[in-house]
Amino acid sequence: MQHRIVVLGAGYTGAIAAGRLAKRLRREDVAITLVNAEPDFVERVRMHQLATGQDLKPRPFSEMFAGTGVELRLAKVTGVDVDRKTVAVIDANGAEELAYDTLVYALGSGWNAQGVPGTAEHAYEIASRPGALRLRERLARLDAGQTVVVVGGGLTGLEAATEIAEARPDLSVSLAARGGLGDWLSPKGREHLRKVFGKLGITAHEHAAVTAVEADRVATADGKAIPAAVAVWTTGFAVHPIAKATALEVTGTGQIVVDGTMRSVSHPDVYAVGDAAMVMGPGDKPLRMSCASGSPTAWQAADAIAARLTGGKLPNVPIRYFNQCISLGRKEGLIQYVTADDRAVQAVLTGRLAALYKELICKGAAWSVVNPTLGLPTRRHRVTREQAAAGSAVEATA
Ligand SMILES: Cc1cc2nc3c(=O)[nH]c(=O)nc-3n(C[C@H](O)[C@H](O)[C@H](O)COP(=O)(O)OP(=O)(O)OC[C@H]3O[C@@H](n4cnc5c(N)ncnc54)[C@H](O)[C@@H]3O)c2cc1C
């Protein structure tokens, strides 16, 4: 009997986890199924590039996983029953249930409108490909001099505003930030950011919490109206509601609570990785939703599953941050070095070199997804029946 591992979501973390499991475990022992709604890998970290008219390399899963032993299932996940250990999916042929012995939940996240009035009707998002394509089409129709406001002064907002201003110097681009511009960066980092904003002609509205979005403006908490033919909403990400509807222990925002091996604290046969998981990082701070910390959660989950199934040693690699890599258009960048718990230190890398560095990071992240089983030593251990049948439950209750 094969041990059935079902991985939900083939974004950065789900695809990496599935590939690593295939590399670690023998094909005769496990059946790995990877479920994803779309047929190709979406490089979410490049959605601001897609929105500004750049074309991204197509990366079909059928090619990526050919010959790896991972079975691809193109379907939309509609629910998970953690008591019956089944996943409900739907595709063109109708609804179906998939049974699992071990589940890896990696459905990622989408945009977070935070309940601000008018966002659903008027704002554009770049957390998803459909959102980025919708913005792309809208930007292409804007005439010179029209206004674009990027709402959100975090990493995604900075990348979006600079990318739009560089691609469309004829537009009037501004950014509304709840705090000061790049106020978490080091002094050198902030200075560089202001310089680039100046060069690209981007207006920064600082300490401007946006409270409503209308068809042609956004309103701020201090009663101002910022003209906006287009408002791009980038104030963080929200996870999909599927996990919250299960018996899994989740946070108030719906992230699955996991231990250091990415295993659900309530259901030992479920693992969660990437944006969907609430993982405590260094300094007892939750990891932020990012590829930077998401990819290591996928490695950790796959290695832990393999270890538990084969009686091997559990991984115990602390997940930490090294830097924040921020693109500021195609020609400029900012690499802000940080402490293990993501606080800025003095060192920064700026300019073209930083842009190049960021590009290499994006390419590297895609490479590790697109080559799911390459680059790892093959350590295919036998799954022992006892470990597969009982090991996880015993350990979880111990
Ligand atoms: C514009 C932008 C720039 C970013 N830049 C950076 C950066 O520079 N550095 C960084 O570290 N992070 C960055 N991020 C964040 C990063 O993209 C996410 O943290 C990362 O994608 C999370 O990976 P994941 O595997 O958890 O989820 P995702 O990559 O979102 O993958 C989830 C997968 O699940 C699939 N899925 C979702 N729901 C269903 C369903 N119901 N049924 C079936 N399939 C489903 C999706 O199609 C997708 O394939 C950026 C994000 C954006 C939007």
Side-chain angles (χ1 to χ4, degrees), residues 235-370:
T235 64
F237 304 131
V239 296
H240 302 296
I242 293 174
K244 210 169 184 173
T246 66
L248 286 167
E249 184 171 330
V250 296
T251 62
T253 53
Q255 282 178 303
I256 299 171
V257 183
V258 295
D259 65 15
T261 65
M262 307 307 131
R263 186 192 223 180
S264 156
V265 295
S266 61
H267 291 75
D269 32 37
V270 177
Y271 291 71
V273 293
D275 289 359
M278 213 293 286
V279 185
M280 293 313 279
D284 257 352
K285 276 164 59 180
L287 297 179
R288 70 181 149 87
M289 293 188 195
S290 66
C291 285
S293 50
S295 301
T297 67
W299 304 331
Q300 193 100 320
D303 290 355
I305 293 167
R308 286 191 171 109
L309 290 178
T310 60
K313 196 165 171 289
L314 278 178
N316 185 21
V317 185
I319 297 175
R320 59 153 297 166
Y321 293 95
F322 295 95
N323 51 33
Q324 295 177 2
C325 301
I326 312 167
S327 69
L328 301 172
R330 291 303 86 204
K331 302 184 195 99
E332 265 290 356
L334 171 59
I335 310 301
Q336 173 66 65
Y337 293 91
V338 296
T339 56
D341 64 348
D342 211 23
R343 285 171 296 122
V345 297
Q346 283 206 345
V348 290
L349 184 68
T350 59
R352 269 192 188 272
L353 202 54
L356 185 67
Y357 187 99
K358 170 72 197 245
E359 180 56 27
L360 287 176
I361 292 288
C362 291
K363 281 206 168 99
W367 189 92
S368 63
V369 174
V370 174

Side-chain angles (χ1 to χ4, degrees), residues 9 11-13 36-37 44-45 75 77 107-108 126 274-275 290-292 358:
Y12 288 94
T13 61
N36 200 69
R44 264 183 85 193
V45 303
V77 176
L107 291 181
I126 54 166
D275 289 359
S290 66
C291 285
K358 170 72 197 245

Side-chain angles (χ1 to χ4, degrees), residues 15 18-27 30 32 34 61-72 369-374 380:
R20 195 154 170 127
L21 283 163
K23 191 80 178 175
R24 292 272 187 261
L25 297 162
R26 291 163 61 113
R27 283 191 199 177
V30 289
I32 303 170
L34 178 59
F61 290 126
S62 53
E63 283 174 20
M64 282 164 51
F65 284 97
T68 62
V70 174
E71 190 201 329
L72 200 63
V369 174
V370 174
N371 298 281
T373 56
L374 286 182
R380 287 215 174 114

Side-chain angles (χ1 to χ4, degrees), residues 19 21 55 67 82 90 98 108-110 148 152 165-166 172 174 191 206 244 247 250 259 298 317 321 379 382 388:
L21 283 163
D55 290 325
V82 286
I90 188 158
L98 308 176
S109 65
V148 176
E166 185 188 84
S172 168
S174 67
E191 192 190 323
E206 298 178 81
K244 210 169 184 173
V250 296
D259 65 15
V317 185
Y321 293 95
R379 284 190 216 128
R382 288 234 67 139

Side-chain angles (χ1 to χ4, degrees), residues 6-209:
V6 175
V7 181
L8 304 183
Y12 288 94
T13 61
I16 288 174
R20 195 154 170 127
L21 283 163
K23 191 80 178 175
R24 292 272 187 261
L25 297 162
R26 291 163 61 113
R27 283 191 199 177
E28 310 87 272
D29 297 340
V30 289
I32 303 170
T33 306
L34 178 59
V35 186
N36 200 69
E38 298 184 74
D40 60 333
F41 172 60
V42 176
E43 278 186 89
R44 264 183 85 193
V45 303
R46 293 192 193 270
M47 288 302 101
H48 51 301
Q49 294 177 239
L50 188 65
T52 49
Q54 296 164 53
D55 290 325
L56 305 183
K57 200 169 169 184
R59 302 179 186 278
F61 290 126
S62 53
E63 283 174 20
M64 282 164 51
F65 284 97
T68 62
V70 174
E71 190 201 329
L72 200 63
R73 183 65 205 272
L74 297 182
K76 187 169 184 227
V77 176
T78 54
V80 177
D81 186 330
V82 286
D83 296 320
R84 290 175 52 239
K85 296 204 206 178
T86 57
V87 176
V89 298
I90 188 158
D91 63 13
N93 300 318
E96 202 194 319
E97 269 189 353
L98 308 176
Y100 65 81
D101 298 305
T102 298
L103 183 74
V104 181
Y105 186 105
L107 291 181
S109 65
W111 69 309
N112 189 354
Q114 296 177 328
V116 172
T119 42
E121 299 88 332
H122 304 299
Y124 289 78
E125 56 101 356
I126 54 166
S128 70
R129 180 163 58 185
L133 288 172
R134 193 172 149 257
L135 176 60
R136 176 184 173 120
E137 190 266 330
R138 180 72 183 105
L139 287 175
R141 283 192 290 112
L142 287 184
D143 294 326
Q146 285 196 279
T147 48
V148 176
V149 176
V150 174
V151 182
L155 300 172
T156 311
L158 299 181
E159 294 199 327
T162 48
E163 199 77 38
I164 295 169
E166 185 188 84
R168 290 291 307 271
D170 58 322
L171 297 176
S172 168
V173 180
S174 67
L175 177 138
R178 194 185 285 275
L181 183 65
D183 56 6
W184 74 92
L185 298 167
S186 64
K188 269 192 197 155
R190 282 200 296 272
E191 192 190 323
H192 185 70
L193 187 59
R194 283 192 189 277
K195 205 173 92 189
V196 175
F197 263 50
K199 257 195 335 203
L200 292 172
I202 305 169
T203 306
H205 302 280
E206 298 178 81
H207 309 288

